[in-house]
Amino acid sequence: MIQIEPFTEEDFERLISWIDSRESLVLFAGSLFEYPLTKEQLQEYVAKKERKVFKIREAESQKVIGHAEIMKPGAHQKRLCRILIGEKDLRGKGYCSRIISLLLNMAFEDVEIQKVDLNVYDHNLPAIKCYEKAGFKRNPGGYKTMSVGEQEWLSLNMLMERSSFPGAGEN
């Protein structure tokens, strides 16, 4: 069981400690931040009104294990962003599916929202598998590349329509 709670300034150091390289920062946040991640960057990040930023807490232990965000890029759309299980030994334990389920429920609470999307790098296979399991489909026109060091990373856009989300209903 997990809980989603507001991400506050008290959480900055923990998130910074989870990001140990430029590559891990790009994998987590795309081009939003510069490495190394700093408190100043996070203060600007949480100040944006279009972002709802969360920490993820494992309910039984009460340990904060992750980070997630929902933003609203358009009138009828929300985007899941910057989803991270912070400690590497906690990855692959099913937390992603539970986080995505909770975030989708929150996103589709707004009856005006018709679709939710997210972006993920094509080599992040565990994340892609999690998103597909939740019902996201690849957007055929939603590809872009980013230079990361000497490499080119391909970003995929994935979508979920309200009509395909269980329990959201047709509005």
Side-chain angles (χ1 to χ4, degrees), residues 23-39:
E23 290 76 17
S24 66
L25 182 61
V26 173
L27 193 64
F28 163 64
S31 61
L32 182 65
F33 300 118
E34 291 186 25
Y35 187 77
L37 186 57
T38 63
K39 289 181 184 179

Side-chain angles (χ1 to χ4, degrees), residues 3-159:
Q3 301 165 325
I4 294 182
E5 302 171 5
F7 178 79
T8 67
E9 199 162 326
E10 295 171 0
D11 302 305
F12 288 4
E13 283 297 330
R14 181 185 317 100
L15 180 58
I16 290 168
S17 75
W18 289 338
I19 306 298
D20 59 4
S21 67
R22 181 171 188 270
E23 290 76 17
S24 66
L25 182 61
V26 173
L27 193 64
F28 163 64
S31 61
L32 182 65
F33 300 118
E34 291 186 25
Y35 187 77
L37 186 57
T38 63
K39 289 181 184 179
E40 293 75 23
Q41 291 179 80
L42 291 173
Q43 286 167 336
E44 288 180 33
Y45 165 67
V46 298
K48 304 279 184 185
K49 293 191 185 304
E50 69 273 12
R51 299 182 197 286
K52 289 189 178 183
V53 185
F54 305 100
K55 62 185 164 196
I56 310 299
R57 187 181 300 276
E58 200 279 322
E60 188 174 323
S61 70
Q62 287 297 296
K63 181 177 183 178
V64 175
I65 63 165
H67 181 91
E69 173 189 335
I70 299 175
M71 65 181 294
K72 190 171 182 181
H76 302 289
Q77 177 180 354
K78 289 199 177 174
R79 177 167 294 145
L80 307 187
C81 312
R82 287 163 271 294
I83 300 164
L84 174 70
I85 300 300
E87 295 182 27
K88 292 177 176 107
D89 64 335
L90 294 177
R91 296 176 188 165
K93 306 234 184 264
Y95 290 116
C96 177
S97 295
R98 288 178 257 170
I99 292 167
I100 297 303
S101 178
L102 288 172
L103 293 174
L104 285 169
N105 281 317
M106 292 171 73
F108 282 124
E109 280 178 352
D110 181 344
V111 296
E112 297 294 317
I113 299 304
Q114 295 304 309
K115 65 182 175 180
V116 174
D117 79 337
L118 55 81
N119 295 309
V120 60
Y121 291 105
D122 72 333
H123 63 276
N124 191 349
L125 299 178
I128 292 169
K129 182 178 176 183
C130 173
Y131 305 148
E132 288 175 338
K133 182 178 176 185
F136 280 89
K137 307 285 185 223
R138 293 180 193 210
N139 176 359
Y143 297 94
K144 59 185 172 186
T145 60
M146 180 172 176
S147 294
V148 181
E150 299 294 316
Q151 301 176 342
E152 289 289 317
W153 286 11
L154 179 66
S155 175
L156 312 174
N157 180 259
M158 299 181 77
L159 295 167

